Amino acid sequence: ILVTETEAQKDQQLNCLVQLSNPNVATMKEDILYHFNLSTGTHDFPAMFGDVKFVCVGGSPSRMKTFIKYIGAELGLDRPGVDYPNICVGTDRYAMYKVGPVLSISHGMGIPSISIMLHELIKLLYHARCSNVTVIRIGTSGGIGLKPGSVVITRQALDACFKPEFEQIVLGKRVVRSTDLDEQLVLELMQCSVELSEFPTVVGNTMCTLDFYEGQARLDGALCSYTEEDKQAYLQAAYAAGIRNIEMESLAFAAICRACGLPAAVVCVAYLDRLEGDQISSPHEVLAEYEQRPQRLVAYFIKKRLGKAHVSS
Amino acid sequence: ILVTETEAQKDQQLNCLVQLSNPNVATMKEDILYHFNLSTGTHDFPAMFGDVKFVCVGGSPSRMKTFIKYIGAELGLDRPGVDYPNICVGTDRYAMYKVGPVLSISHGMGIPSISIMLHELIKLLYHARCSNVTVIRIGTSGGIGLKPGSVVITRQALDACFKPEFEQIVLGKRVVRSTDLDEQLVLELMQCSVELSEFPTVVGNTMCTLDFYEGQARLDGALCSYTEEDKQAYLQAAYAAGIRNIEMESLAFAAICRACGLPAAVVCVAYLDRLEGDQISSPHEVLAEYEQRPQRLVAYFIKKRLGKAHVSS
């Protein structure tokens, strides 16, 4: 029985190590993560990243720097006068910051940009032999039928036809992956929002598009060949499909994390209600406060998890 | 006959003004170009941008800053000690620089990111009442059957199934646009390369994918479910379809510029030969020199055009 328990424990630990869905990487002498400007040949990944338990990602590099300063202070890990250096020096494709068990990385805009980042991030976590890692996207979005400033925790990521599918072309052939997110994480994050009680938060589906203008039924792009009525009909149909916000990364984020067994969540603030308009016209300071909301929620979640788990930093 | 000529001239001038394919924008009181942090309500677009004749775009903000310094010097428009400020201050989504008739803008990685930029760029040129504008992407790519460092001028942008089509989902329905580029520009650029005679340059088709790893048949991503043989077969088929390099923006770039009547060209350097490998492992200084090649070619083209046309700066 003792042997069985040890096997089970070993199994569990193995299951929680970050895994790749690619046998080739284990046989490579050196792995250059080109868009991070990091390489296993020149950097000690286990020493640099082995303690990472939470990875937070978002579009804008400056927002992800703001977040690392904020979470560092919240976790009591900041030191006065000490800045957080960008780990991805020598490239401006992405920016990466770390404090204790939290890694914060920018991913740019759109599915291709976040896909490159995720492939290299998951390889980074694998090379560093990280275990029990949770990945959360803290983003911005357009809301549907929501008060501006509302936060949406994504139940399911849907494509522009309202399907929970991430379609890719691999070697010229169509490959479709599931975009299911971690249900337990959704519940935990919603509970955190109730406890925080600082801003309206809903659980809803998130539509992910390849374009911000025509792809999101905006009337104000350089190209537009439909009417206000067509737009309203599409957005109302999206609302009826349970969609509460629209952004441009969640399909790939959900599918790639899931394919590698990483629990993942998407938490986005809605800058505007798309049923009311297309332009993001709120004053800068209002948008800046909205932008902090997913960060506050996720920081609260991380603190709560660490308080429970006593993870070392 | 005089009247007819004047009408024709007026027509021609009208035809050369930057046009939108969206009647709504002309009726808007204010147009906020959110991702540029510019607005017609707060900025004088004709004064800031009215003289723009060449727009050069590329993925990396620092490369686009390097380019504006280079073209400024080449055109004799630089002033010692005077830097080029980023016109998109207050946002880190894109960076924009201007010198004389040349605008240089970063677009991030992938179709969605360049699409947002192009919608807002074309609206900017429209509001500024620009005329006779040429748009050129100066990028990086992976080559197929080319010596690393070779420059590819794109004849046609093809998708991952080797079709010259840009497919979008608009209001939940499939919309397909042509990705034909300006043939005259291809010839002019190739002639410039011959005159420069500094590096190998070819005219070829460019494959544009939504992903850098699986989407480009790489064996070294976090996910991979095919063999080296599968990869070679796919890349050889691409080569047979006239494809000489692979990148991630040309489909949307070609389609959106074409839909708005803007002559456009794609000039990319190939960092590696994908038939030989997947990782970008050349030393930094070698890649840095490769990266300058499209800039040198396009700067020569701009100088030649300006020398002919005597466009004021």
Side-chain angles (χ1 to χ4, degrees), chain A residues 141-146 158-160 162 205-209 211-220 226-247 272-279, chain B residues 169-173:
Chain A
S141 64
I144 306 182
L146 295 182
L158 306 183
D159 69 13
F162 315 154
N205 292 338
T206 296
M207 179 160 75
C208 177
T209 68
D211 177 53
F212 183 82
Y213 286 95
E214 293 176 289
Q216 298 187 6
R218 277 188 163 79
L219 298 164
D220 63 340
Y226 42 84
T227 66
E228 168 78 28
E229 290 68 43
D230 299 332
K231 168 195 154 178
Q232 290 292 337
Y234 181 64
L235 294 182
Q236 291 290 354
Y239 189 88
I243 292 167
R244 294 296 173 270
N245 65 336
I246 316 176
E247 43 80 275
L272 76 167
D273 183 358
R274 288 297 316 291
L275 297 177
E276 305 294 326
D278 294 332
Q279 294 234 315
Chain B
I169 303 296
V170 178
L171 306 186
K173 292 185 195 85

Side-chain angles (χ1 to χ4, degrees), chain B residues 15-54:
Chain B
N15 286 338
C16 296
L17 274 171
V18 174
Q19 309 275 353
L20 303 180
S21 180
N22 177 5
N24 300 319
V25 175
T27 69
M28 290 166 65
K29 251 193 204 162
E30 179 181 9
D31 189 8
I32 301 169
L33 307 183
Y34 173 71
H35 302 85
F36 287 163
N37 201 29
L38 297 173
S39 165
T40 56
T42 50
H43 297 79
D44 183 346
F45 283 28
M48 291 174 76
F49 304 109
D51 61 344
V52 169
K53 300 295 174 194
F54 303 94

Side-chain angles (χ1 to χ4, degrees), chain A residues 62-74:
Chain A
S62 63
R63 193 199 314 143
M64 299 324 290
K65 170 128 196 194
T66 301
F67 178 70
I68 208 73
K69 286 188 206 165
Y70 174 61
I71 190 74
E74 287 290 302

Side-chain angles (χ1 to χ4, degrees), chain A residues 122-191:
Chain A
I122 297 171
K123 293 204 293 175
L124 179 155
L125 298 172
Y126 165 81
H127 291 305
R129 295 194 283 278
C130 294
S131 61
N132 298 298
V133 176
T134 299
V135 191
I136 305 181
R137 163 163 147 72
I138 46 180
T140 58
S141 64
I144 306 182
L146 295 182
K147 198 167 164 281
S150 299
V151 170
V152 180
I153 302 165
T154 303
R155 176 181 290 126
Q156 215 170 19
L158 306 183
D159 69 13
C161 301
F162 315 154
K163 285 185 295 187
E165 294 178 355
F166 177 47
E167 179 181 322
Q168 289 175 275
I169 303 296
V170 178
L171 306 186
K173 295 188 192 81
R174 192 170 167 262
V175 172
V176 176
R177 291 204 170 98
S178 158
T179 61
D180 285 344
L181 290 159
D182 191 283
E183 286 179 30
Q184 181 58 34
L185 264 179
V186 172
L187 295 174
E188 270 184 75
L189 285 161
M190 194 60 209
Q191 178 59 31

Side-chain angles (χ1 to χ4, degrees), chain B residues 72-122:
Chain B
E74 287 291 301
L75 296 179
L77 296 172
D78 56 334
R79 284 174 297 169
V82 178
D83 197 21
Y84 296 97
N86 178 4
I87 297 168
C88 296
V89 281
T91 179
D92 57 6
R93 301 300 192 172
Y94 302 108
M96 184 190 292
Y97 305 94
K98 183 179 182 296
V99 64
V102 181
L103 199 61
S104 173
I105 316 177
S106 69
H107 56 60
M109 288 184 287
I111 284 176
S113 189
I114 197 174
S115 292
I116 297 173
M117 191 281 285
L118 287 173
H119 274 272
E120 300 189 9
L121 165 66
I122 297 170

Side-chain angles (χ1 to χ4, degrees), chain B:
Chain B
I1 283 165
L2 188 69
V3 175
T4 313
E5 274 182 72
T6 312
E7 292 281 345
Q9 283 168 348
K10 261 172 80 180
D11 253 344
Q12 211 202 335
Q13 194 167 359
L14 270 174
N15 286 338
C16 296
L17 274 171
V18 174
Q19 309 275 353
L20 303 180
S21 180
N22 177 5
N24 300 319
V25 175
T27 69
M28 290 166 65
K29 251 193 204 162
E30 179 181 9
D31 189 8
I32 301 169
L33 307 183
Y34 173 71
H35 302 85
F36 287 163
N37 201 29
L38 297 173
S39 165
T40 56
T42 50
H43 297 79
D44 183 346
F45 283 28
M48 291 174 76
F49 304 109
D51 61 344
V52 169
K53 300 295 174 194
F54 303 94
V55 181
C56 298
V57 305
S60 145
S62 63
R63 191 198 318 143
M64 299 324 289
K65 171 129 196 192
T66 301
F67 179 70
I68 208 73
K69 286 187 206 166
Y70 174 61
I71 189 74
E74 287 291 301
L75 296 179
L77 296 172
D78 56 334
R79 284 174 297 169
V82 178
D83 197 21
Y84 296 97
N86 178 4
I87 297 168
C88 296
V89 281
T91 179
D92 57 6
R93 301 300 192 172
Y94 302 108
M96 184 190 292
Y97 305 94
K98 183 179 182 296
V99 64
V102 181
L103 199 61
S104 173
I105 316 177
S106 69
H107 56 60
M109 288 184 287
I111 284 176
S113 189
I114 197 174
S115 292
I116 297 173
M117 191 281 285
L118 287 173
H119 274 272
E120 300 189 9
L121 165 66
I122 297 170
K123 292 203 295 175
L124 179 154
L125 298 173
Y126 165 80
H127 291 305
R129 295 194 283 279
C130 294
S131 61
N132 298 299
V133 175
T134 298
V135 190
I136 304 181
R137 163 163 149 71
I138 45 179
T140 60
S141 64
I144 306 183
L146 294 183
K147 198 167 165 277
S150 299
V151 169
V152 180
I153 302 166
T154 302
R155 176 179 289 125
Q156 215 171 17
L158 305 183
D159 68 14
C161 301
F162 314 153
K163 285 184 297 190
E165 294 180 355
F166 177 48
E167 178 181 321
Q168 289 175 275
I169 303 296
V170 178
L171 306 186
K173 292 185 195 85
R174 191 169 168 264
V175 172
V176 176
R177 291 202 170 99
S178 159
T179 60
D180 285 345
L181 289 159
D182 191 283
E183 286 177 32
Q184 181 58 34
L185 264 178
V186 171
L187 295 175
E188 269 183 76
L189 285 161
M190 194 61 210
Q191 179 59 32
C192 287
S193 173
V194 170
E195 289 169 24
L196 255 184
S197 193
E198 290 186 4
F199 38 76
T201 306
V202 301
V203 173
N205 292 337
T206 296
M207 179 161 75
C208 176
T209 68
L210 284 164
D211 177 52
F212 182 81
Y213 286 95
E214 293 177 289
Q216 297 187 7
R218 276 188 164 79
L219 298 164
D220 64 341
L223 306 168
C224 177
S225 55
Y226 43 84
T227 65
E228 167 79 27
E229 290 68 42
D230 298 334
K231 168 195 152 177
Q232 290 292 339
Y234 181 65
L235 294 182
Q236 292 290 355
Y239 189 88
I243 293 168
R244 293 296 175 268
N245 65 338
I246 316 177
E247 43 80 274
M248 300 179 67
E249 293 84 17
S250 59
L251 275 183
F253 176 79
I256 295 174
C257 289
R258 186 185 156 86
C260 292
L262 285 168
V266 179
V267 179
C268 291
V269 70
Y271 270 165
L272 75 168
D273 182 358
R274 289 296 318 291
L275 298 177
E276 304 294 325
D278 294 332
Q279 295 234 313
I280 301 167
S281 53
S282 295
H284 178 78
E285 56 276 14
V286 171
L287 295 178
E289 194 276 315
Y290 288 172
E291 192 180 32
Q292 290 167 13
R293 294 180 176 187
Q295 299 182 30
R296 296 219 296 278
L297 176 53
V298 170
Y300 184 91
F301 163 84
I302 290 173
K303 281 193 294 179
K304 198 175 165 188
R305 273 265 181 118
L306 290 178
K308 265 191 210 164
H310 299 291
V311 173
S312 70
S313 57

